[in-house]
Amino acid sequence: MQAILQPKGLLSFPSSPKTRAFISQPSCDLRYRFNPINSFSKPVTLNKTSLSPNGFSKLQSEPQNNRNRHLCRAEAAASSADGQPPKFMGLDLVTLKKIIPLGLMFFCILFNYTILRDTKDVLVVTAKGSSAEIIPFLKTWVNLPMAVGFMLLYTKMANVLSKQALFYSVIFPFIAFFGAFGFVFYPMSSYIHPTALADNLLNLLGPRFLGPLAILRIWSFCLFYVMAELWGSVVVSVLFWGFANQITTVDEAKKFYPLFGLGANVALIFSGRTVKYFSKLRENLGPGVDGWAVSLKGMMSIVVLMGLAICFLYWWVNHNVPLPTRSQKKKEKPQMGTMESLKFLVSSRYIRDLATLVVAYGISINLVEVTWKSKLKAQFPTPNEYSSFMGDFSTATGIATFTMMLLSQWIFNKYGWGAAAKITPTVLLLTGVGFFSLILFGHPLAPTLAKFGMTPLLAAVYVGAMQNIFSKSAKYSLFDPCKEMAYIPLDEDTKVKGKAAIDVVCNPLGKSGGALIQQFMILTFGSLANSTPYLGGILLVIVLAWLGAARSLDGQFTALRKEEELEKEMERKGVKIPIVSSDEGDNGSLSRGSALGDNLSPKKLHDQ
């Protein structure tokens, strides 16, 4: 029996259907030896005396080719024998087994995040003795330290735990806390909050310390606020996107990452309706019943159920979906401590540009969000009214983002990664200018607005809502997919630790940076209203830096993608990929002076 090596390096057996059936078995471990760059015309003869009970043996080629060993996987043989892998609606079944569970995971995660995001604002803004002015202090002095602490802990855990153990160890505390808050902490808030102490300190220190003292006064609400913020940074960015990057290729990411948001923004629509429904429960309750407590129990029960569903989907994917074949190139790196990891990340221009994108978004959105929420509280002072409006806001955000998702794949295909990455800062700049302009010149427009049945306050609330809706829809549909695609070509060490540093620390760092700017402006100019022209100028500078980082990252991402394609071509042709030391190149790129880079260029590979 002869096996002829075809031009693409696959085996074609002129054998019976029984032989072909054996090759299609996933456990097939057929080994052969050949020179992948030389001519493919020489037949390889099987030694009849060495046949196994299944009718196969290891192929033996000529002695000069013995140093080139390759594993012929069952998938390759099956593809050669049967043509194409099984498909459904034009997509590989293996791809569908990835995409559908990932889409469902993203749906559940963002469903929870929408409920948590709307609820955290209601708790801290409408609580007695608090206001929207608590948010800058909360983000700076509570949220940021907890995020840094989590990143340090996560880095340590990533060095000792498997990926699955790390996932479960992170997500289960979130699920337990939110369940406990709805049924334990909030009902007992009047007993565990030091209201009298906060009142005494406020009388002693004066009203300028209202924000910091409010953190003490409603500490359990502030803890909920921070955990809800960390859900967005940790569960959405680190756990989900890290897992998605692990099991998808760049080509799959370009096709399906924008579409993940379709299901996720259906979640925004439904979660907005859910918040609206529970916020309206007060109307059907008897006198003396805390309607917000009832609403909170219902929403936190849904959060717990969705969290358990996320864990099940993660378990199913890990047990039923094979990991994609990655480049065999590895970087030899010793185990690094926390400070060494941070130094390693800071030394990478690629990671610095990614961090700039995340920090710039956080600062930009925060510069307008706190002012908008202060107007929102003035218009809707009670928790249920505030929560009801936020439910409508989330639904509108979901609809807008869903529409943008439908356009995102066309934008990626036609204009590429770089153009898609620049749309979000442009949208945020334009809408931010409109919002600040209305704040500055709203009173002269009062007679005109009255004709439409609106006051300047209500108009500011609606324009601020539109600014947030457009900015967030651009972020979810374009900015987030662009950011996550940028991680894929990186080596595993940079990818894991880079995501932890950027998504867990840089995200709240951006928000805290915006909060620090606002605190400085308030102390300098007396109020946010007096600071509005200066905040607009700062917003312009931040967005320009954002656009510059996006342009720089576009060039580096394109170079890494070309390098990865070169490596795959070399692996396909059987060229051994050398181990690259940690000081060669940046982000795992090939050294210009290496023998591999000089002697195995794409042109020479093509000639060979």
Coordinates of all heavy atoms in Angstrom, one line a residue, residues 24-89:
S24 N -10.6 8.9 10.1 CA -11.4 10.0 10.6 C -11.6 9.9 12.1 O -12.2 10.8 12.6 CB -12.8 9.8 9.9 OG -13.5 8.6 10.3
Q25 N -11.1 8.9 12.8 CA -11.3 8.8 14.2 C -10.4 9.8 14.9 O -9.2 9.9 14.5 CB -11.0 7.4 14.7 CG -11.9 6.3 14.2 CD -11.5 4.9 14.7 OE1 -10.6 4.8 15.5 NE2 -12.1 3.9 14.1
P26 N -10.9 10.6 15.9 CA -10.1 11.6 16.5 C -8.8 11.1 17.2 O -7.9 11.8 17.4 CB -11.0 12.3 17.5 CG -12.4 12.0 17.0 CD -12.3 10.6 16.3
S27 N -8.9 9.8 17.6 CA -7.7 9.2 18.3 C -6.6 8.8 17.4 O -5.6 8.3 17.9 CB -8.2 8.0 19.1 OG -8.7 7.0 18.3
C28 N -6.7 9.0 16.1 CA -5.7 8.5 15.2 C -4.4 9.3 15.5 O -4.3 10.5 15.5 CB -6.1 8.8 13.7 SG -4.8 8.5 12.5
D29 N -3.3 8.5 15.6 CA -2.0 9.1 16.0 C -1.0 8.6 14.9 O -0.1 7.9 15.2 CB -1.5 8.7 17.4 CG -0.3 9.5 17.8 OD1 0.1 10.5 17.1 OD2 0.3 9.0 18.8
L30 N -1.2 9.0 13.7 CA -0.5 8.5 12.5 C 0.8 9.4 12.4 O 0.7 10.6 12.2 CB -1.3 8.6 11.3 CG -0.7 8.1 10.0 CD1 -0.4 6.6 10.1 CD2 -1.6 8.4 8.8
R31 N 2.0 8.8 12.4 CA 3.2 9.6 12.3 C 3.9 9.3 10.9 O 3.9 8.1 10.5 CB 4.1 9.3 13.4 CG 3.6 9.7 14.8 CD 4.6 9.5 15.9 NE 4.0 9.8 17.2 CZ 3.9 11.0 17.7 NH1 4.5 12.0 17.0 NH2 3.4 11.2 18.9
Y32 N 4.5 10.3 10.3 CA 5.2 10.1 9.1 C 6.4 11.1 9.1 O 6.4 12.0 9.8 CB 4.3 10.4 7.9 CG 3.8 11.8 7.8 CD1 4.4 12.8 7.1 CD2 2.6 12.1 8.5 CE1 3.9 14.0 7.1 CE2 2.1 13.4 8.5 CZ 2.8 14.3 7.7 OH 2.3 15.6 7.7
R33 N 7.3 10.8 8.2 CA 8.5 11.6 8.1 C 8.7 12.0 6.7 O 8.7 11.2 5.8 CB 9.8 10.8 8.6 CG 9.7 10.3 10.1 CD 10.8 9.3 10.4 NE 10.7 8.9 11.8 CZ 11.4 7.9 12.2 NH1 12.2 7.2 11.5 NH2 11.2 7.5 13.5
F34 N 9.0 13.3 6.5 CA 9.3 13.8 5.2 C 9.8 15.2 5.3 O 9.8 15.8 6.3 CB 8.0 13.8 4.3 CG 7.0 14.9 4.7 CD1 6.9 16.0 4.0 CD2 6.2 14.7 5.8 CE1 6.0 17.0 4.4 CE2 5.3 15.6 6.2 CZ 5.2 16.8 5.4
N35 N 10.5 15.6 4.2 CA 11.0 17.0 4.1 C 10.0 17.8 3.5 O 9.6 17.7 2.3 CB 12.3 17.0 3.2 CG 13.0 18.3 3.3 OD1 12.3 19.3 3.4 ND2 14.3 18.3 3.2
P36 N 9.4 18.8 4.3 CA 8.2 19.5 3.8 C 8.5 20.6 2.7 O 7.7 21.1 2.1 CB 7.7 20.2 5.0 CG 8.9 20.4 5.9 CD 9.7 19.2 5.6
I37 N 9.8 20.9 2.6 CA 10.2 22.0 1.6 C 10.6 21.3 0.3 O 10.5 22.0 -0.8 CB 11.3 22.9 2.2 CG1 10.7 23.5 3.5 CG2 11.7 23.9 1.2 CD1 11.7 24.5 4.1
N38 N 11.1 20.1 0.3 CA 11.6 19.5 -0.9 C 10.4 19.0 -1.8 O 9.2 19.2 -1.4 CB 12.5 18.3 -0.6 CG 13.8 18.8 -0.1 OD1 14.2 19.9 -0.3 ND2 14.6 17.9 0.5
S39 N 10.7 18.4 -2.9 CA 9.6 17.9 -3.8 C 8.7 17.0 -3.1 O 9.1 16.2 -2.3 CB 10.2 17.3 -5.0 OG 9.3 16.7 -5.8
F40 N 7.4 17.0 -3.5 CA 6.4 16.1 -2.9 C 6.1 14.9 -3.8 O 5.1 14.2 -3.6 CB 5.1 16.9 -2.6 CG 5.2 17.9 -1.6 CD1 5.6 19.2 -1.9 CD2 5.1 17.6 -0.2 CE1 5.7 20.2 -0.9 CE2 5.2 18.5 0.8 CZ 5.5 19.8 0.4
S41 N 6.9 14.7 -4.8 CA 6.5 13.8 -5.8 C 6.9 12.3 -5.4 O 6.5 11.4 -6.1 CB 7.2 14.1 -7.1 OG 8.6 14.2 -7.0
K42 N 7.8 12.1 -4.4 CA 8.3 10.8 -4.1 C 7.3 10.0 -3.3 O 6.8 10.5 -2.2 CB 9.6 10.9 -3.4 CG 10.7 11.5 -4.2 CD 12.0 11.5 -3.4 CE 13.1 12.1 -4.3 NZ 14.4 12.1 -3.6
P43 N 6.9 8.8 -3.7 CA 5.9 8.1 -2.8 C 6.7 7.5 -1.6 O 7.9 7.3 -1.6 CB 5.5 7.0 -3.8 CG 6.6 6.8 -4.7 CD 7.2 8.1 -4.9
V44 N 5.9 7.3 -0.6 CA 6.4 6.7 0.6 C 5.8 5.3 0.8 O 4.5 5.2 0.7 CB 6.1 7.5 1.9 CG1 6.6 6.9 3.1 CG2 6.7 8.9 1.7
T45 N 6.6 4.3 1.0 CA 6.1 2.9 1.0 C 5.9 2.5 2.4 O 6.9 2.6 3.2 CB 7.0 2.0 0.2 OG1 7.2 2.5 -1.1 CG2 6.5 0.6 0.2
L46 N 4.8 1.9 2.8 CA 4.6 1.3 4.1 C 5.2 -0.1 4.2 O 5.2 -0.9 3.3 CB 3.1 1.2 4.4 CG 2.3 2.5 4.6 CD1 0.8 2.1 4.7 CD2 2.8 3.1 5.8
N47 N 5.8 -0.4 5.3 CA 6.4 -1.6 5.6 C 5.3 -2.6 6.0 O 4.7 -2.5 7.0 CB 7.5 -1.5 6.7 CG 8.2 -2.8 7.0 OD1 7.8 -3.8 6.4 ND2 9.3 -2.7 7.8
K48 N 5.1 -3.6 5.2 CA 4.0 -4.5 5.4 C 4.1 -5.3 6.7 O 3.1 -5.6 7.4 CB 3.9 -5.4 4.2 CG 2.5 -6.2 4.1 CD 2.5 -7.1 2.9 CE 1.6 -6.5 1.9 NZ 1.5 -7.4 0.7
T49 N 5.3 -5.6 7.1 CA 5.5 -6.4 8.3 C 5.3 -5.6 9.6 O 5.2 -6.2 10.6 CB 7.0 -7.0 8.3 OG1 7.9 -5.9 8.4 CG2 7.2 -7.9 7.1
S50 N 5.3 -4.3 9.5 CA 5.1 -3.5 10.7 C 3.7 -3.0 10.9 O 3.5 -2.1 11.7 CB 6.1 -2.4 10.7 OG 5.8 -1.5 9.6
L51 N 2.8 -3.5 10.2 CA 1.4 -3.1 10.3 C 0.8 -3.4 11.7 O 1.1 -4.5 12.2 CB 0.5 -3.7 9.2 CG 0.8 -3.2 7.8 CD1 -0.1 -4.0 6.8 CD2 0.5 -1.7 7.6
S52 N 0.1 -2.4 12.2 CA -0.6 -2.7 13.5 C -1.9 -3.4 13.3 O -2.3 -3.6 12.1 CB -0.9 -1.3 14.1 OG -1.9 -0.6 13.4
P53 N -2.6 -3.9 14.3 CA -3.8 -4.6 14.1 C -4.9 -3.8 13.4 O -5.7 -4.3 12.8 CB -4.3 -4.8 15.6 CG -3.0 -4.9 16.4 CD -2.1 -3.9 15.7
N54 N -4.8 -2.5 13.4 CA -5.7 -1.6 12.7 C -5.3 -1.5 11.2 O -6.1 -0.9 10.4 CB -5.8 -0.3 13.3 CG -6.6 -0.3 14.6 OD1 -7.5 -1.0 14.7 ND2 -6.1 0.4 15.6
G55 N -4.2 -2.0 10.8 CA -3.8 -1.9 9.4 C -2.9 -0.7 9.1 O -2.7 -0.4 8.0
F56 N -2.3 -0.1 10.1 CA -1.4 1.1 9.9 C -0.1 0.9 10.6 O 0.0 0.2 11.6 CB -2.1 2.3 10.4 CG -3.2 2.8 9.5 CD1 -4.4 2.3 9.6 CD2 -2.9 3.8 8.5 CE1 -5.4 2.7 8.7 CE2 -3.9 4.2 7.7 CZ -5.2 3.7 7.8
S57 N 0.9 1.6 10.1 CA 2.2 1.6 10.8 C 2.8 3.0 10.7 O 2.2 3.8 10.0 CB 3.2 0.6 10.2 OG 3.6 1.0 8.9
K58 N 3.9 3.2 11.3 CA 4.5 4.5 11.1 C 5.2 4.5 9.8 O 5.9 3.6 9.4 CB 5.6 4.7 12.2 CG 4.9 4.9 13.6 CD 6.0 5.2 14.6 CE 5.3 5.4 16.0 NZ 6.3 5.7 17.1
L59 N 5.0 5.6 9.0 CA 5.6 5.7 7.7 C 7.1 5.9 7.8 O 7.6 6.7 8.7 CB 5.0 6.9 7.0 CG 3.5 6.8 6.8 CD1 3.0 8.1 6.1 CD2 3.1 5.6 6.0
Q60 N 7.8 5.3 6.9 CA 9.3 5.4 6.9 C 9.7 6.0 5.6 O 9.4 5.5 4.5 CB 9.9 4.0 7.1 CG 9.5 3.3 8.3 CD 10.0 4.0 9.6 OE1 11.0 4.6 9.5 NE2 9.3 3.9 10.7
S61 N 10.3 7.1 5.6 CA 10.9 7.7 4.4 C 12.4 7.5 4.3 O 12.9 6.8 5.1 CB 10.5 9.2 4.3 OG 11.3 9.9 5.3
E62 N 13.0 8.2 3.4 CA 14.4 8.0 3.2 C 15.2 8.5 4.4 O 14.8 9.4 5.1 CB 14.9 8.7 1.9 CG 14.3 8.0 0.7 CD 13.8 9.0 -0.4 OE1 14.1 10.1 -0.2 OE2 13.2 8.5 -1.3
P63 N 16.4 8.0 4.7 CA 17.2 8.3 5.9 C 17.5 9.8 6.0 O 17.5 10.3 7.1 CB 18.5 7.5 5.7 CG 18.1 6.4 4.8 CD 17.1 6.9 3.9
Q64 N 17.7 10.5 4.9 CA 18.1 11.9 5.0 C 16.9 12.8 5.5 O 17.2 13.9 5.9 CB 18.6 12.5 3.7 CG 17.5 12.5 2.6 CD 17.6 11.2 1.7 OE1 18.0 10.2 2.3 NE2 17.2 11.3 0.5
N65 N 15.8 12.3 5.6 CA 14.6 13.1 6.1 C 14.2 12.7 7.5 O 13.2 13.2 8.0 CB 13.4 12.8 5.2 CG 13.6 13.3 3.7 OD1 14.4 14.3 3.5 ND2 13.0 12.6 2.8
N66 N 15.0 11.9 8.2 CA 14.6 11.4 9.5 C 14.6 12.5 10.5 O 13.9 12.4 11.6 CB 15.6 10.3 10.0 CG 15.3 9.0 9.3 OD1 14.3 8.9 8.6 ND2 16.3 8.1 9.4
R67 N 15.3 13.6 10.3 CA 15.3 14.7 11.3 C 14.0 15.5 11.3 O 13.8 16.3 12.3 CB 16.5 15.6 11.1 CG 16.5 16.3 9.8 CD 17.8 17.2 9.7 NE 17.8 17.9 8.4 CZ 18.3 17.4 7.3 NH1 18.9 16.2 7.3 NH2 18.4 18.1 6.2
N68 N 13.2 15.4 10.3 CA 12.0 16.2 10.3 C 10.8 15.3 10.6 O 10.4 14.4 9.9 CB 11.7 16.7 8.8 CG 12.7 17.8 8.5 OD1 13.1 18.6 9.3 ND2 13.2 17.8 7.2
R69 N 10.2 15.5 11.8 CA 9.1 14.7 12.3 C 7.9 15.6 12.4 O 8.0 16.6 13.0 CB 9.5 14.1 13.7 CG 10.7 13.1 13.6 CD 11.1 12.7 15.0 NE 12.2 11.8 15.0 CZ 12.1 10.5 15.0 NH1 10.9 9.9 15.0 NH2 13.2 9.8 15.0
H70 N 6.8 15.0 12.0 CA 5.5 15.8 12.1 C 4.4 14.9 12.5 O 4.3 13.7 12.1 CB 5.2 16.5 10.8 CG 6.2 17.5 10.4 ND1 6.2 18.8 10.8 CD2 7.4 17.3 9.6 CE1 7.3 19.4 10.3 NE2 8.0 18.5 9.6
L71 N 3.5 15.4 13.2 CA 2.3 14.6 13.7 C 1.2 14.9 12.7 O 0.7 16.0 12.5 CB 1.9 15.0 15.1 CG 0.7 14.3 15.6 CD1 0.9 12.8 15.8 CD2 0.3 14.9 17.0
C72 N 0.7 13.8 12.1 CA -0.5 14.0 11.2 C -1.7 13.7 12.0 O -2.1 12.6 12.3 CB -0.4 12.9 10.1 SG -1.8 13.0 9.0
R73 N -2.4 14.8 12.3 CA -3.6 14.7 13.1 C -4.8 14.2 12.3 O -4.8 14.3 11.1 CB -4.0 16.1 13.7 CG -2.9 16.6 14.6 CD -3.3 17.8 15.4 NE -2.3 18.3 16.3 CZ -2.1 17.9 17.5 NH1 -2.8 16.9 18.0 NH2 -1.1 18.4 18.2
A74 N -5.7 13.6 13.1 CA -6.9 13.0 12.4 C -7.7 14.0 11.6 O -8.3 13.7 10.6 CB -7.8 12.3 13.4
E75 N -7.7 15.3 12.1 CA -8.5 16.3 11.4 C -7.9 16.5 10.0 O -8.7 16.7 9.1 CB -8.4 17.6 12.2 CG -9.2 17.6 13.5 CD -8.4 17.0 14.6 OE1 -7.2 16.6 14.4 OE2 -8.9 16.9 15.8
A76 N -6.6 16.5 9.9 CA -6.0 16.8 8.5 C -6.4 15.6 7.6 O -6.8 15.8 6.4 CB -4.5 16.9 8.6
A77 N -6.3 14.4 8.1 CA -6.6 13.2 7.2 C -8.0 13.2 6.9 O -8.4 12.9 5.7 CB -6.2 11.9 7.9
A78 N -8.9 13.5 7.9 CA -10.3 13.5 7.6 C -10.7 14.6 6.6 O -11.5 14.4 5.7 CB -11.1 13.7 8.9
S79 N -10.0 15.7 6.7 CA -10.3 16.8 5.8 C -9.9 16.4 4.3 O -10.6 16.7 3.4 CB -9.5 18.1 6.2 OG -9.7 19.1 5.3
S80 N -8.7 15.7 4.2 CA -8.3 15.2 2.9 C -9.2 14.2 2.3 O -9.5 14.2 1.2 CB -6.9 14.7 3.0 OG -6.5 14.2 1.8
A81 N -9.7 13.3 3.2 CA -10.5 12.2 2.7 C -11.9 12.6 2.4 O -12.5 12.1 1.5 CB -10.5 11.0 3.7
D82 N -12.5 13.4 3.3 CA -13.9 13.7 3.2 C -14.2 15.1 2.6 O -15.3 15.5 2.4 CB -14.6 13.6 4.5 CG -14.4 12.2 5.1 OD1 -14.4 11.3 4.3 OD2 -14.3 12.1 6.3
G83 N -13.1 15.9 2.3 CA -13.3 17.2 1.8 C -13.3 18.3 2.8 O -12.3 18.7 3.3
Q84 N -14.5 18.8 3.3 CA -14.6 19.9 4.3 C -15.1 19.4 5.6 O -15.8 18.4 5.7 CB -15.5 20.9 3.7 CG -15.0 21.6 2.4 CD -13.8 22.4 2.7 OE1 -13.6 23.0 3.8 NE2 -12.9 22.5 1.7
P85 N -14.8 20.1 6.7 CA -15.3 19.7 8.0 C -16.8 20.0 8.0 O -17.3 20.8 7.2 CB -14.6 20.6 9.0 CG -14.1 21.7 8.2 CD -13.8 21.2 6.8
P86 N -17.6 19.3 8.9 CA -19.0 19.5 8.9 C -19.4 20.9 9.2 O -18.8 21.5 10.0 CB -19.5 18.5 10.0 CG -18.3 18.3 10.8 CD -17.1 18.3 9.9
K87 N -20.4 21.4 8.5 CA -20.9 22.8 8.6 C -22.4 22.8 8.8 O -23.1 21.9 8.5 CB -20.5 23.6 7.4 CG -19.0 23.8 7.2 CD -18.7 24.7 6.0 CE -17.2 24.9 5.9 NZ -16.9 25.9 4.9
F88 N -22.8 24.0 9.4 CA -24.2 24.3 9.5 C -24.4 25.7 9.2 O -23.8 26.6 9.8 CB -24.6 24.0 11.0 CG -26.1 24.3 11.2 CD1 -27.1 23.5 10.8 CD2 -26.4 25.5 11.9 CE1 -28.4 23.8 11.0 CE2 -27.8 25.8 12.2 CZ -28.8 24.9 11.7
M89 N -25.2 26.0 8.2 CA -25.5 27.3 7.7 C -24.2 28.0 7.3 O -24.0 29.2 7.6 CB -26.3 28.1 8.8 CG -27.6 27.6 9.1 SD -28.5 28.6 10.4 CE -28.7 30.1 9.5

